[in-house]
Amino acid sequence: MKIVMIGAGNVATNIAKTLANIGETPVQIWSRTLASAEILANAVGTCATSDWDSVVKDADVYIVAVKDDAMLNVIDLLCAHCKHGVFVHTAGTMSMSLFTGKAEHYGVLYPMQTFSKQKEVDFRTVPCFVEASDKHTLDIIMELARLLSDNVRELAESERKWLHIAAVFSCNFANVCNAMAAQILERHGLSFDVMLPLLDETVAKLHRLHPREAQTGPASRGDVGVVSKHLAMLEDNKELSEVYSVLSNYILKNRE
């Protein structure tokens, strides 16, 4: 496929590098800032631009992987300059209707994974969820998705949005809890590394047990005395205290 990557952030970087690794290097990287486009373009061996007039006009697929709050404006500008091909965005919560009236063939390829520029993922294992404007376009986006991943399925927007919310709870909120744990540890002269065996086992259990079955800790035991002691220790940090209280109350109310 002749692919143009629109964006040079975390998702775009991982998709572009994965495509390059299998011999499907994007023909061009566009980013709002030329420096960002050049960094990714140099990494995968292609060309960069920040000028809409210079974007390749005859690509088979345009992959839009930018921040949600920039997506509508980027799509408007992209479709004003490029009229042919399949247009795809990668967002979990954004509708494919952003392309309606601007492109003939369009859809969504949502890779549900946490991406960072600093760490490449094994994209073959990433669940990818696809939606398209028509059957012909669905076939093309499915072909693209299967170049990236062995785990591809069609999913309607209504379900994809709930999937994204669940991913925020499972990944983003879990990670910010680890950031809070690091804050507590570092304040008392301890390294976050001490948590890694605990985290490894926490995730490993989820391959065998439902999260409800895997839940442990004072709140899951109904040990309100320990919960109260922890809250007293956190009195000097309102934010951490509030998070601890909300999560503990949820566990107490929903324990089996």
Side-chain angles (χ1 to χ4, degrees), residues 46-68:
T46 191
C47 60
T49 187
S50 60
D51 179 8
W52 285 115
D53 290 329
S54 299
V55 173
V56 172
K57 302 298 190 293
D58 62 345
D60 298 311
V61 180
Y62 297 87
I63 303 176
V64 181
V66 298
K67 293 179 180 179
D68 288 6

Side-chain angles (χ1 to χ4, degrees), residues 34-89:
L34 183 59
S36 296
E38 287 177 337
I39 290 171
L40 179 53
N42 290 337
V44 300
T46 191
C47 60
T49 187
S50 60
D51 179 8
W52 285 115
D53 290 329
S54 299
V55 173
V56 172
K57 302 298 190 293
D58 62 345
D60 298 311
V61 180
Y62 297 87
I63 303 176
V64 181
V66 298
K67 293 179 180 179
D68 288 6
D69 59 3
M71 188 166 291
L72 178 58
N73 183 56
V74 167
I75 287 173
D76 285 345
L77 292 168
L78 171 64
C79 293
H81 286 77
C82 304
K83 303 297 184 182
H84 305 290
V86 171
F87 297 80
V88 179
H89 76 63

